[in-house]
């Protein structure tokens, strides 16, 4: 089955850190750019970060640049998001998303992993 | 940054009725406009890409139109599973999402 499965979410204290993972199956992971997109409770969608198929190029939203690091391991069909200096504004459901064209067309979404930043 | 404004915020309709959703861009996005559906408790799903192309497996009752700054998503006859939130997204200049339109049962 073609799918993306996120893990690693949870409750973290303000200022803390967390590492999210995403495992792909059913398709050739190394052929695709992959993104993290988040959705705060009851709100819309916010693009967070992306990584090229090779892993050589990474991009970040201004709201997370310098605090989040995206990476991937194509041998393990896995994507990661290292998050640090977390604040309440980072509380959201984080989706791992496949880019079908290489330019922001999102054709496959995981079910998301919930990150809650609270004391 | 290109801002996408969706209207209405909420649309109250009955099963079998026609739904017309609007997405307006603050500047031209050519045809680089996509629509996503998000059912309660689920991840978004790609419905329409490049303004008018249905994604794989999307029923023919969903259609998209428009170019430049004004776009519409039309659902010709609402099925029970179509009551959801719909987002537009542009990829002409980086990317942005609209705020969403919720289609609710009247």
């Amino acid at each position: 089955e073609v799918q993306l499965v996120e893990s690693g979410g949870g409750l973290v204290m303000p200022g803390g850190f967390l590492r999210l993972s995403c495992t792909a199956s059913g398709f050739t992971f190394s052929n695709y750019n992959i993104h993290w997109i988040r959705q705060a409770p009851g709100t819309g969608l916010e693009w967070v970060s992306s990584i090229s198929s090779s892993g050589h190029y990474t991009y970040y939203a201004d709201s997370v640049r310098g605090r989040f690091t995206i990476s991937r391991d194509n041998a393990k069909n896995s994507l990661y998001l290292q998050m640090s200096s977390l604040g309440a504004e980072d509380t959201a459901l984080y989706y791992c998303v496949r880019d079908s064209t290489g330019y922001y067309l999102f054709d496959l979404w995981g079910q998301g992993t919930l990150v809650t930043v609270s004391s | 940054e290109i801002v996408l404004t969706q209207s209405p915020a909420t649309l109250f309709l009955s099963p079998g009725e026609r739904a017309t959703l609007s997405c307006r861009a603050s500047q031209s996005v050519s045809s680089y406009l996509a629509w996503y559906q998000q059912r309660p408790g689920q991840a978004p799903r790609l419905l329409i890409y490049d303004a008018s192309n249905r994604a794989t497996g999307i029923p023919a009752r969903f259609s998209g139109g428009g170019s430049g700054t004004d776009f519409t998503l039309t659902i010709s006859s609402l099925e029970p599973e179509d009551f959801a939130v719909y987002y537009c997204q542009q990829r002409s200049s980086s990317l942005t999402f609209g705020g969403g339109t919720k289609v609710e049962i009247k």
Side-chain angles (χ1 to χ4, degrees), chain B residues 46-70:
Chain B
L46 178 65
L47 294 178
I48 301 287
Y49 66 94
D50 294 348
S52 61
N53 298 287
R54 275 190 302 277
T56 302
I58 301 304
R61 65 180 181 274
F62 291 93
S63 63
S67 65
T69 60
D70 290 295

Side-chain angles (χ1 to χ4, degrees), chain A residues 39 95 101 103-104 106 109-110, chain B residues 36 38 43-44 87 89 91 94:
Chain A
Q39 186 171 34
Y95 293 106
T101 65
Y103 197 69
Y104 305 126
F106 306 122
W109 296 64
Chain B
Y36 299 84
Q38 187 174 32
Y87 295 97
Q89 175 237 329
R91 62 190 188 100
S94 186

Side-chain angles (χ1 to χ4, degrees), chain B residues 54-95:
Chain B
R54 275 190 302 277
T56 302
I58 301 304
R61 65 180 181 274
F62 291 93
S63 63
S67 65
T69 60
D70 290 295
F71 300 86
T72 58
L73 173 69
T74 301
I75 310 170
S76 59
S77 178
L78 283 163
E79 297 288 339
E81 63 268 26
D82 299 336
F83 291 89
V85 179
Y86 295 83
Y87 295 97
C88 59
Q89 175 237 329
Q90 67 81 20
R91 62 190 188 100
S92 172
S93 174
S94 186
L95 78 146

Side-chain angles (χ1 to χ4, degrees), chain A residues 46-110:
Chain A
E46 179 189 15
W47 175 81
V48 173
S49 180
S50 66
I51 188 165
S52 63
S53 56
S54 65
H56 290 156
Y57 302 101
T58 58
Y59 304 91
Y60 299 94
D62 288 345
S63 58
V64 307
R65 187 176 292 112
R67 301 188 297 121
F68 289 11
T69 302
I70 191 171
S71 61
R72 66 191 295 164
D73 184 339
N74 285 342
K76 295 182 178 179
N77 290 336
S78 293
L79 174 77
Y80 307 101
L81 187 68
Q82 181 71 47
M83 306 186 295
S84 62
S85 301
L86 286 164
E89 69 276 11
D90 298 312
T91 293
L93 189 61
Y94 284 72
Y95 293 106
C96 172
V97 186
R98 186 178 77 176
D99 187 335
S100 67
T101 65
Y103 197 69
Y104 305 126
L105 187 62
F106 306 122
D107 71 331
L108 180 66
W109 296 64

